[in-house]
Amino acid sequence: MSDQNKTVEELDVVTIRFAGDSGDGMQLTGTQFTDNTALFGNDLSTLPDYPAEIRAPAGSLAGVSSFQLQFSNQEIHTPGDDLDVLVAMNPAALKVHLADLQENGMVMVNTANFSKKNLKLAGYEVSPLEDNTFDNYRLIEVDMTKLVATALENLDMSPKLKARSTNMFALGLLYWLYERDMDSSINFITKKFAKKPEIITANVKALKTGYFYGETIEAIKTTYRVPKAEFSKGTYRNIMGNHAAALGLVAAAEKAGLNLFYGGYPITPASDILHYLANFKNFGIKTFQAEDEIAGVCSAIGASFAGDLAVTASSGPGIALKGEALGLAVMTELPLVVINVQRGGPSTGLPTKTEQSDLFQAMYGRNGECPMVVVAPATPSDCFNVLFEACKIALEHMIPVMVLSDGYVANGSEPWMIPTVDDLPQIKVTKATDPESFMPYSHAEGTVARPWAVPGTPGLEHRIGGLEKEDQTGNVNYDPDNHHYMNLHRQNKVDAIANYIPEAKAYGDDSGELLVLGWGGTHGAIRSSVERAQKAGHSVSHLHLRHINPFPKNLGEVLSNYKKVLIPELNLGQLSTMIRAKFLVDAQGLNKVAGKPFTTTEVYNKILQMVKG
Amino acid sequence: MAEVLETTLTRKDFVSDQEVRWCPGCGDYAILAAVQKVFPELGVKKENFLIVSGIGCSSRFPYYMDTYGFHSIHGRAPAFASGAKLANPDLSVWIVTGDGDGMSIGGNHLIHVLRRNLDLNILMFNNRIYGLTKGQYSPTSELGKVTKSTPMGSLDHPFNPPSLALGSGATFVARTIDRELKHMASIIKESHSHKGGSFVEIYQNCNIFNDGAFADMTEKETKMETQLILEQGQPMIFGKDKDKGIVLIGSQLTVLQLSEDRNVDDVLVHNSGDKNMARLLAGMTYNGDLPTPIGVLYKEERATYDEMMTAQLQSAIDSKGPGDLDALIKGSNTWTV
């Protein structure tokens, strides 16, 4: 459907952002463009950003919701820094996001929403459409709402309902701008509204109207094509972090031959894990929405005692509530997977924003000497691998494992080469059955696992609990030497896992000027900036930790191979503190606690400063 | 209610090798004895019993029973028990808790486990005091209770446990007394036979910190006047000479002195299926003018959470087929390179 009068320009990488009111459907628009981009064959990375309020006051700055997406014909790791295109559905969205648009970038506005009232709500005294606001940008003014209303005038529905399809107009316009077809969204709409044919008609019509509008108007003379990226051979899908996490759990349960039990309480941004699992009931998955966070984890521990693969998920404030029960899980040496999808803290903090400030909580946030295994996914699709591995560690070592995801990883998405179940490692689960040799607190060599003796097994009746255990028998014991020994034992149990995880290997040279050490969701920004620095000829390598407790065995050695170590973190230096304390390395931090991920530029500038300084 | 089978189990099979460490004279000993007496008679395989407790004197209970046991954390026993029951619905799950553990720090879990009606049994030892922390008032202590933490008397209005349980939607609510061994054993047995969540309040004497809290109800001289023993289908009569009965005047339960004119036929007959009456009976607690009811106040058949969950899982399999993991991971939108 391309227009003969218009030219097509080829680009390597593009960053776009849809922004509007919380009720404007920006998240849906963004995920639709994402799915289309994935199916088209670009590499991509996304950043949804929305307010904690479900419907903040319409038109207000606080109510702006946005969805950013970077796509490319090459491998990319982040949702991008500066925008090529900004779609602003109202003045507030424009106000919040325009500063991120690069010079000469394109901004599309829905003029219908630039009313006096909305301008005032956004803090504009003069309409930006009437002053020099856009001098350095390419402004495309479209009365999307009116165009949609006209296109739908023959449909028997309220103007308000018609206006709700306006986001599809914007989506159609972007599809045209990037030379896409609309099939994926038409299929989506048809499926989603199967029972409401008039809604299908309205949305598809609005989508097409946007697309055809692009062809017609003079203002946009060039469309853009980002060629397909080169991926390794395989079958791909696009996946969000929380979705991948849920799939990792289901896969682990299957590979372990166990039923999966999930006990939890809704909390942003972890609830989606519960939502996904609740839809997988035909896999025998039991989801239990408990009365509170504490009951969530306690039910999971109860299920673990009774022989299920047990999981709970929450975010920082909920993990705080679970702390005492986590201590019990450590004491009773039961397998348990705890997911913390971190958000801005402290207290209620920033529920919908990302942060990495719960590392200390994961490491030390319980009474007594209470070590827990801590692992962290680096990207959305990595959540699958990490959750699978967390379950494997928990079950094979009889130990609770904390997974530190974050809002950025959980809600972001990327293409994922789909693994086949046959290729996943088996998870070895042994449940005790022999009363002759049974000692509740005997421990296997190597894994340091104690026997899993599940209620219902004849002859293995025993009691466990939070009081100190006697080695071997597991009886309550107050002996000072035993207590000291058991504390060492619990630490040793965590440390021993270092023998079962891969050694650390940096991306880049094995030694050199600077090692950038990261963990969790900062992977993309660090990798992009390290690649850029390497291309510029600097001696910089990147090591990203999946295993934080215990660290890989050779971490100290790896660190010593570089003159300097930089640790970028979305906190005030938690991993830095751990690394400095454990390895006496003069690691420098790059720290930001703004509820936003690092940009590549931020990390890159710090790298330059360190390699030059 | 777990599977029923012929059993050769005896009391001894349920005695653990751990030394019992409650204070000499504690009411908990009697309860332990009753449970050890009843368990072999329930037709449940020994390995299918699971006792879960929280924190407090009563919560040491699992250590003394040779069954699977979990001494969990303060107040949370219902949540652990729920998870265990859902993981393995064949288990006969028992929660042992106290008035502090169950009604104070664990109040939230107690009300929710009752409303969900999981098929498990709750034994709440009520001694109206905090024992393990050495004598502070509890949420069932009477208003004005003078303790270490309330030298001028407590300002807290107490919970009425059966009322709370009924308000939570419990399907089995009963009360018994540590000193009434036979009654206690029969109530524990009946609570087990109930399919659904059963709540049994056991008045239990703490001879160290709250000695004699229930003396009126346990001492020979007075107990006939203060206990109203509820029996299904029987008139509510009490008193040493069985000369008093309970009648309903307006919406109030009142004591009737039986006479030739007004005899046993005028007295209320206990029907444990009558929820409104159960609420009134529960309300007799703390009322000095009325005897205190013991026995099964209320019983109702309602679908249990665990059987509904099992049914839901089965219906998902029936409609979607057993889970295909490769297909799930693949999803509906894929592309191949």
Side-chain angles (χ1 to χ4, degrees):
Chain A
M1 280 183 272
S2 71
D3 191 306
Q4 298 302 316
N5 300 323
K6 301 196 175 185
T7 57
V8 183
E9 194 180 316
E10 214 166 274
L11 298 173
D12 290 335
V13 58
V14 168
T15 301
I16 62 176
R17 188 185 290 168
F18 297 94
D21 223 24
S22 330
D24 280 342
M26 292 297 97
Q27 299 306 317
L28 178 73
T29 312
T31 49
Q32 280 303 300
F33 196 92
T34 302
D35 286 349
N36 189 285
T37 303
L39 290 170
F40 177 79
N42 292 136
D43 196 11
L44 68 88
S45 173
T46 67
L47 176 63
D49 189 10
Y50 48 90
E53 294 74 20
I54 301 303
R55 290 277 188 279
S60 69
L61 295 169
V64 174
S65 167
S66 73
F67 191 102
Q68 183 174 325
L69 164 75
Q70 178 170 231
F71 54 102
S72 174
N73 60 355
Q74 289 149 23
E75 192 181 359
I76 51 166
H77 310 291
T78 76
D81 290 0
D82 300 330
L83 308 174
D84 296 291
V85 176
L86 170 66
V87 178
M89 301 300 279
N90 69 3
L94 184 71
K95 183 92 172 189
V96 171
H97 295 293
L98 188 61
D100 295 333
L101 187 63
Q102 57 181 264
E103 206 169 299
N104 207 31
M106 184 186 288
V107 51
M108 295 182 182
V109 297
N110 180 7
T111 55
N113 288 332
F114 280 62
S115 63
K116 263 191 187 159
K117 186 186 162 202
N118 280 342
L119 288 164
K120 201 175 159 200
L121 279 169
Y124 282 116
E125 286 184 8
V126 180
S127 169
L129 302 175
E130 287 156 20
D131 64 12
N132 59 358
T133 301
F134 298 105
D135 283 0
N136 293 322
Y137 307 112
R138 286 177 288 157
L139 173 66
I140 311 292
E141 291 178 76
V142 192
D143 190 338
M144 301 185 193
T145 313
K146 192 175 164 192
L147 287 165
V148 168
T150 311
L152 306 184
E153 66 189 353
N154 292 331
L155 287 184
D156 181 22
M157 57 170 68
S158 70
K160 207 175 160 186
L161 203 54
K162 286 177 183 169
R164 284 178 63 177
S165 299
T166 309
N167 61 334
M168 288 297 113
F169 180 97
L171 181 64
L173 186 51
L174 269 283
Y175 279 163
W176 170 79
L177 186 64
Y178 289 101
E179 298 268 315
R180 300 286 179 71
D181 68 45
M182 293 179 276
D183 293 352
S184 67
S185 287
I186 293 172
N187 289 341
F188 169 82
I189 293 164
T190 313
K191 246 191 201 166
K192 186 172 168 74
F193 300 108
K195 285 177 186 158
K196 296 174 183 167
E198 70 285 2
I199 304 283
I200 298 177
T201 312
N203 277 302
V204 171
K205 226 169 182 176
L207 181 74
K208 289 183 172 171
T209 306
Y211 193 99
F212 297 139
Y213 181 79
E215 287 188 338
T216 316
I217 57 160
E218 297 289 320
I220 311 178
K221 294 194 167 58
T222 312
T223 59
Y224 302 92
R225 183 181 299 142
V226 177
K228 292 180 183 189
E230 281 190 23
F231 288 99
S232 311
K233 279 207 157 98
T235 301
Y236 289 80
R237 70 175 290 176
N238 193 53
I239 192 93
M240 283 171 68
N242 274 345
H243 192 175
L247 295 178
L249 294 170
V250 184
E254 179 143 327
K255 282 292 182 179
L258 295 173
N259 288 319
L260 181 68
F261 178 93
Y262 177 98
Y265 187 75
I267 184 171
T268 303
S271 306
D272 279 341
I273 298 174
L274 167 61
H275 303 160
Y276 285 115
L277 292 176
N279 277 298
F280 303 158
K281 284 195 166 55
N282 59 328
F283 287 81
I285 292 165
K286 301 163 203 167
T287 54
F288 179 63
Q289 182 177 314
E291 57 271 23
D292 60 26
E293 293 281 0
I294 298 171
V297 65
C298 292
S299 66
I301 295 171
S304 169
F305 182 54
D308 276 359
L309 169 56
V311 182
T312 187
S314 186
S315 190
I319 299 293
L321 286 166
K322 294 178 196 291
E324 186 194 8
L326 296 181
L328 181 69
V330 168
M331 197 72 158
T332 52
E333 302 184 30
L334 285 168
L336 177 73
V337 172
V338 184
I339 306 168
N340 178 354
V341 184
Q342 298 167 95
R343 65 191 216 184
S347 188
T348 310
L350 303 173
T352 58
K353 311 296 179 190
T354 197
E355 213 160 281
Q356 295 183 299
S357 46
D358 295 343
L359 176 55
F360 279 175
Q361 183 193 43
M363 288 294 300
Y364 314 118
R366 293 163 296 280
N367 63 302
E369 293 287 348
C370 195
M372 260 179 99
V373 180
V374 180
V375 292
T379 70
S381 68
D382 195 36
C383 289
F384 179 88
N385 307 319
V386 169
L387 263 300
F388 187 91
E389 187 180 348
C391 295
K392 187 169 159 66
I393 292 173
L395 292 166
E396 292 182 352
H397 297 260
M398 290 289 287
I399 198 165
V401 177
M402 174 83 79
V403 178
L404 287 180
S405 177
D406 62 53
Y408 171 76
V409 163
N411 289 322
S413 68
E414 63 179 356
W416 176 42
M417 196 206 284
I418 301 164
T420 47
V421 176
D422 283 347
D423 293 340
L424 295 171
Q426 212 57 39
I427 297 177
K428 277 177 251 144
V429 175
T430 335
K431 287 180 177 165
T433 52
D434 178 16
E436 289 305 309
S437 61
F438 176 62
M439 290 290 257
Y441 271 68
S442 62
H443 292 92
E445 264 185 58
T447 60
V448 201
R450 75 175 187 89
W452 199 2
V454 170
T457 314
L460 302 189
E461 291 84 359
H462 67 289
R463 276 65 57 194
I464 59 169
L467 288 168
E468 183 60 284
K469 300 279 162 288
E470 183 181 51
D471 181 38
Q472 304 298 318
T473 67
N475 288 332
V476 175
N477 188 294
Y478 299 100
D479 177 70
D481 292 339
N482 178 73
H483 180 52
H484 186 73
Y485 173 82
M486 291 304 281
N487 273 296
L488 294 175
H489 154 72
R490 285 184 285 269
Q491 183 62 51
N492 175 43
K493 191 162 169 150
V494 172
D495 294 344
I497 289 164
N499 296 322
Y500 294 81
I501 61 175
E503 294 204 336
K505 171 129 185 40
Y507 169 83
D509 293 336
D510 289 337
S511 63
E513 183 68 22
L514 176 67
L515 178 72
V516 187
L517 179 67
W519 66 279
T522 52
H523 176 272
I526 295 176
R527 179 57 56 89
S528 301
S529 54
V530 166
E531 280 177 351
R532 204 197 289 180
Q534 288 172 343
K535 276 184 198 155
H538 299 295
S539 167
V540 181
S541 297
H542 175 202
L543 176 59
H544 213 74
L545 293 175
R546 173 187 287 184
H547 305 96
I548 302 173
N549 200 27
F551 286 132
K553 268 196 294 193
N554 66 333
L555 181 58
E557 191 193 324
V558 171
L559 294 171
S560 69
N561 290 335
Y562 300 87
K563 283 188 195 150
K564 293 176 183 173
V565 175
L566 167 65
I567 303 182
E569 288 178 275
L570 300 176
N571 59 43
L572 292 181
Q574 299 187 11
L575 180 66
S576 299
T577 304
M578 287 169 60
I579 292 288
R580 292 173 70 99
K582 189 167 170 88
F583 301 108
L584 300 176
V585 169
D586 186 20
Q588 301 296 303
L590 172 64
N591 304 101
K592 170 163 127 173
V593 201
K596 279 174 171 286
F598 283 119
T599 65
T600 303
T601 312
E602 284 167 340
V603 182
Y604 183 67
N605 288 343
K606 181 70 182 176
I607 289 174
L608 286 192
Q609 189 196 330
M610 283 190 70
V611 290
K612 286 178 179 166
Chain B
M1 198 172 64
E3 112 192 64
V4 177
L5 77 167
E6 288 302 314
T7 173
T8 53
L9 294 170
T10 66
R11 177 187 160 274
K12 271 188 183 166
D13 290 305
F14 291 96
V15 179
S16 83
D17 61 355
Q18 297 295 296
E19 188 188 350
V20 184
R21 294 190 184 183
W22 288 313
C23 307
C26 176
D28 289 358
Y29 284 93
I31 306 173
L32 177 64
V35 172
Q36 285 170 338
K37 177 185 178 295
V38 167
F39 269 25
E41 301 167 5
L42 296 179
V44 175
K45 288 180 184 167
K46 183 181 163 181
E47 64 268 21
N48 280 346
F49 282 107
L50 170 62
I51 305 178
V52 184
S53 66
I55 295 292
C57 294
S58 58
S59 288
R60 298 297 175 97
F61 199 92
Y63 292 121
Y64 309 135
M65 293 289 299
D66 191 14
T67 63
Y68 285 96
F70 203 153
H71 178 215
S72 76
I73 51 176
H74 208 0
R76 320 300 174 198
F80 290 95
S82 299
K85 180 72 183 178
L86 294 174
N88 183 358
D90 292 337
L91 298 177
S92 174
V93 178
W94 295 72
I95 294 167
V96 174
T97 184
D99 43 318
D101 188 63
M103 311 229 106
S104 194
I105 192 167
N108 195 32
H109 310 302
L110 184 75
I111 59 177
H112 287 279
V113 77
L114 289 173
R115 95 182 147 84
R116 288 191 190 106
N117 198 35
L118 268 101
D119 185 16
L120 40 75
N121 313 285
I122 300 170
L123 305 178
M124 193 199 77
F125 303 5
N126 182 6
N127 56 17
R128 296 187 178 166
I129 201 76
Y130 282 177
L132 202 61
T133 52
K134 301 189 177 175
Q136 302 82 3
Y137 74 104
S138 91
T140 54
S141 297
E142 59 278 16
L143 182 70
K145 182 85 174 171
V146 174
T147 70
K148 276 182 194 164
S149 61
T150 49
M152 295 172 69
S154 84
L155 305 174
D156 290 32
H157 184 79
F159 263 137
N160 178 344
S163 291
L164 184 70
L166 287 168
S168 307
T171 58
F172 182 97
V173 178
R175 177 189 281 145
T176 185
I177 306 176
D178 60 358
R179 290 277 288 273
E180 302 290 342
L181 276 178
K182 261 191 166 168
H183 187 264
M184 182 162 49
S186 77
I187 292 295
I188 292 172
K189 227 173 167 171
E190 192 170 349
S191 83
H192 173 262
S193 70
H194 173 69
K195 186 167 77 74
S198 59
F199 177 80
V200 178
E201 178 189 27
I202 306 175
Y203 281 165
Q204 171 248 324
N205 190 42
C206 172
N207 57 324
I208 305 296
F209 295 109
N210 202 18
D211 196 21
F214 306 102
D216 278 0
M217 293 187 64
T218 54
E219 298 313 308
K220 259 191 186 155
E221 306 78 57
T222 50
K223 72 179 207 182
M224 302 297 272
E225 303 299 324
T226 55
Q227 286 183 6
L228 173 67
I229 302 168
L230 299 171
E231 285 176 281
Q232 180 67 4
Q234 296 301 314
M236 298 182 199
I237 292 176
F238 68 104
K240 200 167 58 186
D241 303 320
K242 300 209 177 291
D243 61 343
K244 298 189 192 77
I246 301 294
V247 292
L248 188 63
I249 297 179
S251 61
Q252 306 294 324
L253 294 177
T254 311
V255 174
L256 173 74
Q257 183 68 49
L258 302 185
S259 61
E260 281 188 14
D261 297 344
R262 313 228 25 217
N263 59 30
V264 68
D265 295 337
D266 297 311
V267 171
L268 288 168
V269 171
H270 182 50
N271 172 13
S272 62
D274 183 342
K275 195 162 194 174
N276 288 329
M277 184 54 69
R279 290 196 184 101
L280 293 174
L281 289 169
M284 293 168 78
T285 314
Y286 301 114
N287 186 332
D289 297 334
L290 296 170
T292 300
I294 64 171
V296 178
L297 278 73
Y298 182 65
K299 195 157 88 167
E300 161 196 352
E301 287 289 319
R302 199 172 80 208
T304 68
Y305 187 97
D306 36 302
E307 69 185 6
M308 287 193 289
M309 180 182 268
T310 304
Q312 242 185 18
L313 295 178
Q314 189 54 51
S315 104
I317 292 168
D318 293 344
S319 64
K320 294 184 187 174
D324 174 347
L325 183 54
D326 273 313
L328 182 74
I329 292 175
K330 210 168 164 206
S332 51
N333 275 333
T334 62
W335 68 97
T336 301
V337 177

